[in-house]
Amino acid sequence: MLKDLFPKKRKFATISPNQSAKDRVPEGLMNKCKRCGEILLSRELEKNVKTCPHCGYHFSMTAPERIDATLDEGSFVEFDAHLLTGDPLSFPDYPEKVQKAREMSGLDEAILSGYGTIAGYPLYIAVMDFRFIMGSMGSVVGERLARTVERATDDGVPVVIFTVSGGARMQEGIFSLMQMAKVSAALRRHADAGQLYIAVCTNPTTGGVTASFAMQGDLNLAEPGAMIGFAGRRIIESTIRQQLPEEFQTAEFLLEHGMLDEVVHRKDMKPYLATVLSMHSKRGEPNGHRSAF
């Protein structure tokens, strides 16, 4: 008989998932690298400043996380938190969108700004956050930036801005676009006063932010692999009717073509900035500039 020629398949008992065991596994325990696919323990990822130890991929960071990773512990003092977004154009559902962004991000706006130190060197700092309506630049973002730069000018200290943005905020129309000129004018006064401005582009930095303060630094830096540009690839290709290089609009591409001064790994960013600040300090010491307080 044919059935005698083939052994019977063994039956294995199935084990049903234990729901109580599943409930005991904490969420956010592991992360998967978007570039190399490696599974990373969250605590190891945090120790590595949210970069993959296998391929160097830079995970996104929130504004509070970046401030903690960049400034001396306990040195940050936030300014202008009282400036809140309105609805100047009565744009449909805009107030609800802003409120949802506040609840999701825990921030009042797409930027944190204030005063702090790096290796003891004083500076004013502004850090954008992509979670808040894609880090878009509205009138409050522009006002906080301008005030940050103006304080740095008045106190005679450098200013550092970390950018991550989808560009100008369409719900505020011309009020949003005006921020490009306002922040640029503040930076010009800062430069005329002989003070240092360091711009650090992170992934992604696009639109009106790229077209203004993100590329106006005395020193223009970026994180590895950051996408930096004005318009999107498809729009540019359809306009010029040419296919762009695969690495187009990456930090490395911009560095090669002279639009950036350096691409700095996140783990090296704090010591890199400390070195630059020490070189700019009047006496090469942390107290080379007078404190803002």
Side-chain angles (χ1 to χ4, degrees):
M1 298 291 291
L2 288 176
K3 64 179 181 180
D4 295 331
L5 298 177
F6 300 96
K8 293 182 179 179
K9 293 182 178 180
R10 296 179 61 186
K11 294 184 179 180
F12 296 91
T14 57
I15 302 176
S16 300
N18 188 323
Q19 186 62 42
S20 62
K22 290 174 63 179
D23 293 341
R24 289 196 299 270
V25 178
E27 291 187 11
L29 183 65
M30 293 179 289
N31 291 270
K32 184 177 181 180
C33 178
K34 295 181 180 179
R35 179 186 293 170
C36 68
E38 287 287 335
I39 303 299
L40 309 170
L41 289 174
S42 295
R43 63 174 179 271
E44 295 300 324
L45 189 61
E46 296 297 331
K47 290 180 181 178
N48 215 41
V49 205
K50 299 194 78 171
T51 61
C52 177
H54 302 281
C55 68
Y57 175 76
H58 282 49
F59 287 74
S60 60
M61 291 187 84
T62 67
E65 287 174 338
R66 195 172 295 279
I67 286 174
D68 289 343
T70 305
L71 297 182
D72 296 335
E73 185 177 358
S75 69
F76 180 67
V77 178
E78 183 180 3
F79 292 147
D80 302 319
H82 66 285
L83 298 177
L84 302 176
T85 294
D87 187 12
L89 301 181
S90 299
F91 197 92
D93 301 324
Y94 183 41
E96 291 78 13
K97 189 177 186 71
V98 171
Q99 182 59 34
K100 184 177 180 180
R102 287 172 179 161
E103 294 172 355
M104 186 274 294
S105 65
L107 302 176
D108 290 326
E109 248 303 339
I111 194 166
L112 280 179
S113 57
Y115 173 87
T117 62
I118 297 178
Y121 296 98
L123 74 153
Y124 281 87
I125 187 170
V127 181
M128 304 184 77
D129 196 308
F130 200 74
R131 298 173 300 163
F132 198 105
I133 315 181
M134 298 177 64
S136 52
M137 178 181 60
S139 54
V140 170
V141 170
E143 182 64 19
R144 290 190 185 186
L145 280 167
R147 292 191 183 196
T148 299
V149 176
E150 288 167 353
R151 288 191 180 98
T153 304
D154 292 341
D155 290 327
V157 298
V159 61
V160 177
I161 299 176
F162 284 85
T163 63
V164 55
S165 179
R169 191 173 298 176
M170 56 172 280
Q171 293 90 345
E172 296 186 29
I174 191 65
F175 292 98
S176 176
L177 297 176
M178 288 168 58
Q179 308 312 311
M180 299 169 61
K182 181 168 71 178
V183 178
S184 296
L187 286 170
R188 178 55 188 266
R189 291 192 292 270
H190 188 70
D192 290 344
Q195 299 305 320
L196 175 68
Y197 166 43
I198 304 174
V200 186
C201 294
T202 68
N203 184 50
T205 297
T206 62
V209 171
T210 303
S212 55
F213 58 88
M215 302 301 292
Q216 293 176 339
D218 298 303
L219 189 63
N220 291 316
L221 309 176
E223 289 187 334
M227 195 274 276
I228 307 166
F230 180 64
R233 170 188 288 268
R234 286 181 296 177
I235 294 176
I236 298 174
E237 287 182 335
S238 63
T239 301
I240 66 176
R241 298 182 180 180
Q242 294 182 24
Q243 186 171 358
L244 298 168
E246 186 64 31
E247 69 280 8
F248 178 69
Q249 292 185 328
T250 63
E252 291 75 13
F253 184 88
L254 268 62
L255 176 64
E256 183 180 347
H257 289 79
M259 294 187 68
L260 291 174
D261 295 300
E262 191 64 83
V263 175
V264 183
H265 194 284
R266 188 177 293 162
K267 291 193 297 183
D268 301 324
M269 185 63 71
K270 183 174 181 177
Y272 187 98
L273 292 175
T275 300
V276 174
L277 292 172
S278 69
M279 294 170 63
H280 186 264
S281 178
K282 292 178 181 177
R283 296 193 299 271
E285 299 176 357
N287 293 324
H289 290 286
R290 63 187 180 90
S291 172
F293 300 99

